[in-house]
Amino acid sequence: MGETSIDRDRLASYLTDAAPDWSRIEKIEQMKGGQSNPTFRVDTGSGPVILRMRPEGAPRWAHDVAREYRVLAALGPTDTPVPAVYHYCEDAAVLGGEFYLMEFIEGRIEDDNRLPGFSAEERAAIYRSYVQAYARLHAVDWRAAGLEGFGTTDSYVARQLKLHRKLFSEYCPEGIADLDWLQEALLERVPEQTRTGLVHGDVRMGNVVLHPTEPKVVALLDWEMSTLGDVYADAGILTVPYYMPPNPQGHLRDNDPAITGVPDMETVIDWYCEDMGLKEFPNLEFMILFNLYRYAAVNYGVGWRARNGMAVSDNGHLYGETAVPIGRRARAMAEAWLADGTI
């Protein structure tokens, strides 16, 4: 964690009336990791709390902390592991961006999918818990949870493809041939959405809190991209690390489960199907390609923000460098699957 520019006195003054339990502020530190909403640990007289805020001047589409707060409040009573939320401030004038306070959960966060520092047995157990946590999310009755109107329920994949094409074209007007080809090929073959639910939007190991000592997930984090949509498209993100080039989150292309304990992709998909009561994963190959396209487009945007002085972390440029190799590999996979009729 590092120093922060948040005005401690200003925050304390605001919280004195708005959330007095947390107004006696002793220390504020920005937490490392992530490429979007800045996250801070605020030590108070009542214990530590987490503050998440929208970065000043950033585009709203991927930085909507009000949505994060709403979905966390809705999931609190369910069996999806999430932190409790305490207060939301919509007045950007207080700190320079809207923000909310949530529970600080003691635990470990590991951004590298390879889980360095854990034993093979621990890695296997963590991945099993990780898959189960997202299956629990996808099984939530979103209407009963009070999330009616949280998003458009149909055509999730097509809308995502069009959104990311629009955003990518703003970052890269000249385009990237493989990604342009892939986007069109996917739009022509979007499968029917068969199960609508709450999607996280950024499923990855770095967005969970692991128990301080036990090999299990105790909380899912980073809900800025959550909405209603195709849960199988969301679950498809579980496959992405197995196809990614080297990047700050680690890749699993050369993973050997017998040595590392990290399961292979087929096992991860089997676990998800078991937890969801599925005989097979619907449209798996399409969902793999869809998520590789999303990752390439988003990573290019992360790199663009880094080059233009808008990075939240110091490794944003490394994400941007993955866009071209992701596109190249995904197109090759798509052409092979098209040739044999798989998609």
Side-chain angles (χ1 to χ4, degrees):
M1 291 188 286
E3 295 300 319
T4 174
S5 59
I6 283 183
D7 188 322
R8 183 169 71 176
D9 292 338
R10 189 174 181 85
L11 176 60
S13 176
Y14 168 80
L15 293 176
T16 297
D17 293 325
D21 285 349
W22 314 109
S23 62
R24 291 181 293 129
I25 298 174
E26 299 168 355
K27 186 178 182 181
I28 304 176
E29 290 184 297
Q30 183 165 4
M31 304 184 76
K32 294 182 179 180
Q35 300 295 328
S36 51
N37 293 332
T39 303
F40 305 87
R41 172 175 169 154
V42 182
D43 289 331
T44 79
S46 300
V49 65
I50 295 295
L51 185 151
R52 288 266 290 176
M53 70 178 292
R54 178 177 177 267
E56 189 172 3
R60 181 171 294 277
W61 74 271
H63 301 271
D64 194 338
V65 294
R67 289 180 65 80
E68 287 191 28
Y69 184 84
R70 180 182 175 188
V71 73
L72 286 168
L75 289 173
T78 74
D79 65 357
T80 305
V82 294
V85 288
Y86 303 131
H87 177 74
Y88 170 69
C89 173
E90 64 181 354
D91 184 359
V94 175
L95 295 181
E98 303 140 69
F99 68 90
Y100 68 92
L101 301 181
M102 70 177 177
E103 176 186 10
F104 172 79
I105 296 184
E106 194 71 44
R108 300 168 287 180
I109 296 178
E110 176 51 67
D111 204 39
D112 191 327
N113 291 294
R114 296 165 294 188
L115 296 177
F118 292 87
S119 70
E121 293 76 14
E122 287 174 325
R123 294 184 187 117
I126 288 169
Y127 265 89
R128 185 66 189 95
S129 177
Y130 173 67
V131 172
Q132 184 182 62
Y134 283 106
R136 287 179 175 175
L137 166 66
H138 294 158
V140 166
D141 183 336
W142 51 274
R143 291 186 179 90
L147 290 171
E148 192 83 46
F150 190 63
T152 303
T153 57
D154 60 354
S155 305
Y156 173 76
V157 169
R159 289 185 288 108
Q160 282 283 301
L161 286 169
K162 292 172 183 177
L163 169 66
H164 287 290
R165 176 173 63 182
K166 176 180 180 295
L167 295 169
F168 179 67
S169 67
E170 293 174 359
Y171 296 131
C172 185
E174 68 277 15
I176 295 175
D178 290 331
L179 290 177
D180 295 342
W181 179 94
L182 182 63
Q183 202 267 355
E184 292 300 327
L186 291 173
L187 265 178
E188 292 172 2
R189 295 167 176 82
V190 175
E192 178 184 1
Q193 183 170 310
T194 58
R195 182 161 183 163
T196 298
L198 183 60
V199 302
H200 182 276
D202 194 11
V203 175
R204 61 185 180 86
M205 189 60 71
N207 279 341
V208 307
V209 180
L210 303 175
H211 188 280
T213 58
E214 299 176 27
K216 65 180 182 180
V217 171
V218 293
L220 304 183
L221 305 177
D222 205 357
W223 292 87
E224 62 175 321
M225 298 175 70
S226 61
T227 188
L228 298 177
D230 188 329
V231 297
Y232 303 132
D234 201 42
I237 308 176
L238 293 167
T239 68
V240 167
Y242 297 92
Y243 297 98
M244 288 287 284
N247 67 90
Q249 294 172 12
H251 65 90
L252 301 175
R253 289 171 65 170
D254 303 319
N255 177 60
D256 183 345
I259 297 174
T260 67
V262 175
D264 56 28
M265 189 190 80
E266 290 74 18
T267 298
V268 165
I269 294 301
D270 286 347
W271 283 343
Y272 181 81
C273 290
E274 176 186 337
D275 292 339
M276 293 290 286
L278 301 170
K279 291 183 179 179
E280 62 179 6
F281 193 103
N283 305 299
L284 177 60
E285 291 79 9
F286 181 94
M287 295 309 179
I288 291 172
L289 295 172
F290 163 68
N291 281 298
L292 288 174
Y293 174 80
R294 284 180 69 246
Y295 257 69
V298 169
N299 284 3
Y300 189 93
V302 171
W304 182 91
R305 291 195 296 275
R307 293 193 301 274
N308 288 275
M310 298 175 63
V312 173
S313 67
D314 57 6
N315 60 6
H317 64 287
L318 297 176
Y319 288 91
E321 293 169 4
T322 68
V324 169
I326 293 173
R328 184 184 307 118
R329 184 170 193 194
R331 178 173 181 173
M333 291 162 56
E335 289 176 332
W337 282 335
L338 285 169
D340 67 15
T342 302
I343 58 172

